[in-house]
Amino acid sequence: MKTTLTKIITAVLSASTLALSASAYTIPEYSFDYEQYMGDSESCSLCSEALQTDDIINDHSITITLRCEYSYFNSVWTIEDFPELQDLGIEFDYIVNRENWEEWTDEEIETRIHYMWLNCIEYHTTIDIVLAEEYHSYANVEKVKNAIVGACEIGQHPEFAAVQCTPFLEECEPKYNDLNGDEVINSIDVTMIARHALGSYTLDDSVVTYADVNLDGSVNSIDATMLLRYVLKIDA
């Protein structure tokens, strides 16, 4: 009897440990084989190297890049997935998966992934943690970043490949913001976003998602400004 009870307790503890070590976010279900398109983490330079970080160059948000095997379209992240941030005394505006397109059908998602796969584009999900406006400061961003990196160093976030504070720079080329399909991102695309935001022009449903430059779920003047800064090569 004692042996049986010991085995049961051991099994329960093992299951609990597994649950705690599993990723906190929700993995979406797809009608197709998603894993066939996922990157090879062993050959991916970002996944095979140690956690990457950078200097503080953004005063309002943190960008987290997930390793290949944890990258999913439409995975859901919340502040509860970051217990290390709960005692910092900092409030957050939102946490968003940039690849979160709930309105897309599975067929549309598979087409997008297949296109990326054919063009040998390494796919990594990126998560943005945006501080509430009254907490925007380099000091607060550094505090948040250090807390996340510290948690990674003790194994709390095995899914993270990079924790960065990167603005909208030239090297972060917005490959999917070519709204008029002329294979060039320029003032025409900026104007289309601006007019859509003002209500004087309505973007076609097939491209309106690509007009959401900061991926916050809406198309507004912020997106037009960000794309304009990219076109004019304004980094700061």
Side-chain angles (χ1 to χ4, degrees), residues 13-85:
L13 289 175
S14 298
S16 299
T17 302
L18 179 61
L20 288 173
S21 64
S23 180
Y25 66 87
T26 303
I27 297 177
E29 295 183 0
Y30 302 104
S31 61
F32 59 94
D33 183 6
Y34 184 92
E35 292 189 359
Q36 69 174 311
Y37 298 114
M38 293 177 68
D40 181 359
S41 59
E42 294 183 359
S43 61
C44 172
S45 60
L46 184 61
C47 291
S48 61
E49 296 175 2
L51 181 74
Q52 296 188 20
T53 62
D54 61 11
D55 294 330
I56 302 299
I57 49 177
N58 193 330
D59 71 345
H60 65 278
S61 65
I62 303 290
T63 296
I64 295 172
T65 304
L66 304 186
R67 298 180 184 278
C68 288
E69 66 266 36
Y70 294 101
S71 290
Y72 291 90
F73 281 81
N74 295 348
S75 61
V76 178
W77 290 77
T78 68
I79 193 62
E80 284 72 26
D81 295 323
F82 300 88
E84 66 272 19
L85 304 182

Side-chain angles (χ1 to χ4, degrees), residues 169-222:
L169 296 175
E170 182 177 356
E171 57 264 35
C172 304
E173 183 180 351
K175 297 180 175 64
Y176 304 109
N177 300 129
D178 175 21
L179 303 185
N180 65 342
D182 63 356
E183 300 185 355
V184 178
I185 297 172
N186 55 28
S187 60
I188 296 175
D189 304 293
V190 175
T191 301
M192 291 174 69
I193 295 176
R195 291 183 62 195
H196 179 90
L198 290 172
S200 62
Y201 174 79
T202 302
L203 288 169
D204 187 90
D205 290 342
S206 63
V207 300
V208 70
T209 300
Y210 304 139
D212 182 14
V213 179
N214 65 347
L215 299 167
D216 66 353
S218 64
V219 177
N220 51 40
S221 60
I222 296 175

